[in-house]
Amino acid sequence: MTWENHSLWLEFVFLSYPTKPHLRVLTFLGVTLVYIFVITGNALIMGAIWTETRLHMPMYYMLGSLSGIEVCYTAVVVPHMMANILQSDRTIGLLACATQMTFLIGLGSADCFLLAAMAYDRYAAICHPLQYPLIMTLTLCGRLVVASVTVGLFLSFQLAVFIFSLPFCQVRGIQHFFCDIPPLMCLLCSNSHIHELSVLVAATLAIAVPFFLIAASYAFIVNAVLKIKSAAGRQRAFSTCSSHLMVVLLQYGCCAFMYLRPKSSFNPKKDQFVSLIYIFGTPLLNPLIYTLRNNEMKGTLGKILSRKCHLRNN
């Protein structure tokens, strides 16, 4: 038995939401609170970079773009999650599920590509400081951001078209909070290794390739930093890169666990926990990591917040 895949009336049901009323209320409040922090933190970063002229540099433009992608990334999933927590009908149509997955994977992939671009920026700044203004121009920065989003969405669109063109089995319950690749692959009637390999190739292009570019960039960075004679200079160089490395490890660790493994290893409970980390944890920690470890960002945010408090008091 298979469903008619091309019917827009086909629906999936999410099975992982709490059913007890008190758990639903607590979950809704928790998700709402974290979502507010995510939006506020990333909006403050974008606002600081937009308003402060001394932050109009490629590094900060890419950081602001990363925050913008994080806001859009969470907006694809979290509002729908909040609605599902409160309502008893937790269904989603075929087209809506495909759209959600396309933008979720596309913006997540754009995150990965943009982190690789930020690693290249740090490589150019540390390994070629004299040529840095000529290498990393604002024009190149804008092109890297646009290319990251375009390639990410292109890969995810191809992947979504491929998955949703395959036959789904009669069981339509998704053991997850949203439409993601691993739980949807478990609903496919076809068990062909070619299908699984195709998904793995797409995930490798979006995750492993940018990660290797980041690793290569930091290999050159470490080699250049170790040649610095001044201990203070080495510490300053490592400090500018440590926050980026923390974000990279968090982002790529979760993505690799979710997508760079065979379908047979899918574990609903464990995968749901990891998915919450990269849906909420990464967008929430990115502003904290970058602002708390960057004196210029902290100073600018302090000015913005003090200015708002002054205006309210007046």
Side-chain angles (χ1 to χ4, degrees):
M1 293 288 293
T2 61
W3 285 345
E4 183 61 36
N5 253 10
H6 300 289
S7 172
L8 296 180
W9 297 104
L10 182 64
E11 289 185 332
F12 299 104
V13 180
F14 296 110
L15 304 177
S16 299
Y17 289 93
T19 55
K20 296 181 179 180
H22 67 283
L23 288 178
R24 290 165 66 178
V25 172
L26 289 175
T27 304
F28 178 80
L29 292 176
V31 169
T32 303
L33 185 62
V34 174
Y35 189 47
I36 290 173
F37 282 132
V38 168
I39 298 298
T40 303
N42 285 287
L44 282 174
I45 287 181
M46 289 187 289
I49 295 171
W50 180 265
T51 57
E52 187 63 40
T53 54
R54 64 185 179 132
L55 298 182
H56 292 178
M57 297 185 293
M59 178 181 72
Y60 291 107
Y61 273 134
M62 283 193 281
L63 176 57
S65 301
L66 182 67
S67 292
I69 291 174
E70 298 283 18
V71 170
C72 298
Y73 177 71
T74 53
V76 171
V77 172
V78 179
H80 191 251
M81 286 180 62
M82 294 166 64
N84 283 333
I85 292 171
L86 294 180
Q87 62 189 12
S88 55
D89 182 20
R90 293 154 181 164
T91 60
I92 186 170
L94 177 72
L95 184 59
C97 187
T99 302
Q100 185 183 69
M101 195 189 82
T102 299
F103 283 100
L104 174 70
I105 303 301
L107 293 173
S109 301
D111 250 2
C112 295
F113 290 121
L114 190 54
L115 287 172
M118 293 172 74
Y120 175 72
D121 173 78
R122 292 299 83 208
Y123 158 76
I126 294 174
C127 297
H128 303 283
L130 297 179
Q131 291 82 25
Y132 176 73
L134 299 176
I135 296 174
M136 188 56 67
T137 61
L138 292 179
T139 301
L140 177 60
C141 174
R143 289 175 178 173
L144 289 173
V145 172
V146 172
S148 298
V149 176
T150 303
V151 174
L153 289 175
F154 176 77
L155 287 175
S156 66
F157 178 76
Q158 298 292 323
L159 188 59
V161 169
F162 171 73
I163 291 177
F164 283 88
S165 66
L166 299 174
F168 288 96
C169 296
Q170 191 172 10
V171 177
R172 63 191 186 109
I174 299 178
Q175 295 285 347
H176 211 47
F177 303 109
F178 49 87
C179 292
D180 204 356
I181 295 175
L184 283 171
M185 290 291 290
C186 292
L187 300 182
L188 294 175
C189 292
S190 174
N191 293 319
S192 173
H193 292 293
I194 296 178
H195 300 151
E196 192 172 341
L197 182 62
S198 301
V199 174
L200 187 62
V201 168
T204 301
L205 290 174
I207 300 171
V209 171
F211 181 78
F212 285 129
L213 292 175
I214 292 173
S217 297
Y218 274 95
F220 287 111
I221 288 172
V222 170
N223 183 56
V225 169
L226 292 177
K227 293 179 180 178
I228 299 176
K229 296 180 180 180
S230 168
R234 286 196 300 270
Q235 184 177 0
R236 187 166 56 254
F238 277 124
S239 178
T240 60
C241 300
S242 57
S243 56
H244 182 257
L245 276 177
M246 292 171 67
V247 173
V248 167
L249 292 175
L250 182 63
Q251 174 83 7
Y252 282 89
C254 293
C255 290
F257 177 83
M258 287 296 296
Y259 304 115
L260 296 181
R261 59 195 177 100
K263 182 180 71 173
S264 57
S265 64
F266 176 69
N267 184 311
K269 296 296 181 184
K270 189 183 296 184
D271 287 22
Q272 288 163 21
F273 175 75
V274 175
S275 71
L276 292 178
I277 294 177
Y278 68 76
I279 290 295
F280 292 105
T282 306
L284 180 63
L285 290 176
N286 279 0
L288 293 175
I289 291 172
Y290 279 114
T291 54
L292 292 178
R293 299 185 64 86
N294 189 301
N295 291 327
E296 289 184 330
M297 284 298 302
K298 283 193 292 186
T300 303
L301 289 176
K303 287 181 182 179
I304 292 175
L305 294 175
S306 62
R307 194 182 306 151
K308 287 186 176 180
C309 291
H310 179 70
L311 291 174
R312 285 182 180 178
N313 292 333
N314 292 339

